[in-house]
Amino acid sequence: MTARTALGASSGVAEDAPVVVAARRTWIGTAGYGHRARTEVDLAAAVLRAVTDDTRAAGVEGAVADVVLGCCTGPGGNVARVAALAAGLGVRVPGLTVDRQCASGLAAVLLAAQQVRAGDARLVLAGGTESASTAPARTFRGAPAGYARAAFTPVPWADPQMGAAADALARRRTVTRERQDAYAVRSHARALAAHAAGRFDAEVVGVGAPQAGPSRVPTAGRGRLDRDERARRLDGSRLARLPAAFTPDGTVTAGTSSPVSDGAAAVAVVPEAVRRVLGVPGLRLVASATVGCDPAEPGWGPVPATRAALDRAGWSVDDLAAVEMVEAFAAQVLAVTDALGLDPLGGDERVCADGGALALGHPWGASGAVSVVRLFSRLVRAGAPAGTRGLATAAVGGGLGVAALVEVVR
């Protein structure tokens, strides 16, 4: 047994340690297509119901203490509370909506873990949801036109658009166009292989008819996705001919950027004491870190966040068996993996082994939670032994990074 699976086995795990015991996501749709008539609540309610059913099937008893969901572009209000009610969890279950942009779903899971670790809850559902297709247009009162996004920083701090920031990061960290193209081909090829092998099937819940009652979206397009919509066979030679998408002299293209997407993901978090009594496997949330970095270089955030989390856990990158990184841009992923000593283009199977957001899609508020669902499938559902370790991490506009370290317990 290697160090990656032998270290930190589940013996001696504290009873209040937070553990993920169920994890689900929707298929991810490209904005304007497969989920175009589904709201963020429709998507979230589907995964909340599925995760609740999974926890009950595993023998977890007692009421859900809270629902924590990430969401970036929803209609406002408390999306988590609305989704909890729509999922049929009952009026006594509250809700908390989190906006940490592309790491919102991961931040929600970490907040749930904190509730469990503090002894305030014995079952929390957490994750994220995003419906870019139905998100409302926003405008300042009296302004002649709407705006695409809120400011991530105040003047005079840099506040680049994410594509331009990825171009700048590629220049600073010497990530070539050829490597970006190769990584995009890798992501799509792996996602297609995972689809063909059925490796996503156990983690996904289909989204059926939306909840009854008035809807703010048209009735057209209420079909049911049966795969992640974005993944396709990429031709490297054609990819190489795509023009720069964001800056005139840039290397980032539409083919090496994640699409705007719709989707949701959720997990169930309980204390180790509950998991141990039930005898079910899970992912223990061992350590995490949320850090700031230069707002001009937002894609760099996972580097200091991962290093801080590893330091808190006393682990090294070599101890990790699986890494899920939100693939906003191929340039950003490669800059981070280069800095951390990972080499996905050199045969390192640990990084996004079944593809990531480049191929599956990037529903902003949900993507961090999708990473946790993917780790659950890759490690727990796949039968990895106790002590096997993983990392989920995401970069955030405005200059942030979030990282979470997990370990299989059985």
Side-chain angles (χ1 to χ4, degrees), residues 120-146:
D120 293 337
R122 292 177 64 81
L123 172 59
V124 181
L125 307 186
T129 185
E130 205 73 69
S131 173
S133 292
T134 69
R138 301 184 181 191
T139 185
F140 291 105
R141 192 179 303 276

Side-chain angles (χ1 to χ4, degrees), residues 72-83:
C72 300
T73 64
N78 190 348
V79 169
R81 167 64 170 174
V82 179

Side-chain angles (χ1 to χ4, degrees), residues 6 8 19 27-28 36 45 49 59 65 108 159 168 185 211 220 228 245 275 281 311 320 340 359 367 388 401:
V19 182
W27 295 116
I28 299 172
R36 66 183 179 273
R49 283 191 291 265
D159 188 12
V185 169
Q211 59 190 358
D228 297 302
R275 185 213 65 82
D311 186 61
L320 301 173
L340 294 177
S367 291
T388 306

Side-chain angles (χ1 to χ4, degrees), residues 29-64:
T30 302
Y33 291 90
H35 288 316
R36 66 183 179 273
R38 313 266 177 216
T39 69
E40 70 293 324
V41 170
D42 295 329
L43 298 167
V47 292
L48 291 175
R49 283 191 291 265
V51 168
T52 301
D53 290 346
D54 289 349
T55 59
R56 299 311 180 208
V60 179
E61 298 178 350
V64 174

Side-chain angles (χ1 to χ4, degrees), residues 156-392:
W157 292 96
D159 188 12
Q161 295 298 325
M162 294 302 99
D167 268 327
L169 184 65
R171 285 193 297 271
R172 293 185 190 120
R173 306 295 169 179
T174 320
V175 180
T176 65
R177 167 70 183 268
E178 291 73 23
R179 292 183 69 212
Q180 294 174 50
D181 288 350
Y183 188 85
V185 169
R186 174 192 189 270
S187 184
H188 281 261
R190 287 170 178 267
L192 289 175
H195 276 116
R199 286 197 292 274
F200 295 139
D201 293 353
E203 72 189 32
V204 171
V205 55
V207 184
Q211 59 190 358
S215 174
R216 68 173 188 263
V217 296
T219 57
R222 294 186 183 273
R224 185 183 177 107
L225 281 180
D226 59 3
R227 68 185 300 275
D228 297 302
E229 214 167 9
R230 174 72 168 184
R232 64 197 65 188
R233 194 171 306 281
L234 290 186
D235 182 324
S237 62
R238 291 185 178 180
L239 200 61
R241 294 197 294 269
L242 290 177
F246 303 103
T247 59
D249 60 344
T251 56
V252 178
T253 71
T256 57
S257 306
S258 60
V260 178
S261 307
D262 307 325
V267 304
V269 185
V270 302
E272 165 63 11
V274 169
R275 185 213 65 82
R276 187 181 297 137
V277 168
L278 296 174
V280 297
L283 278 183
R284 179 169 70 103
L285 291 154
V286 177
S288 66
T290 301
V291 303
C293 66
D294 186 350
E297 202 170 54
W300 188 249
V303 176
T306 297
R307 288 171 175 166
L310 288 170
D311 186 61
R312 290 171 185 174
W315 298 359
S316 74
V317 170
D318 289 340
D319 295 325
L320 301 173
V323 174
E324 287 293 326
M325 186 175 302
V326 176
E327 293 177 349
F329 301 92
Q332 181 261 329
V333 173
L334 292 169
V336 170
T337 54
D338 286 352
L340 294 177
L342 299 162
D343 188 10
L345 293 179
D348 194 331
E349 299 294 320
R350 294 177 291 169
V351 180
C352 297
D354 294 322
L358 287 171
L360 303 178
H362 184 9
W364 304 301
S367 291
V370 171
S371 294
V372 180
V373 174
R374 294 271 50 251
L375 285 176
F376 191 89
S377 287
R378 290 178 61 187
L379 299 178
V380 177
R381 288 189 172 103
T388 306
R389 297 170 170 180
L391 163 72

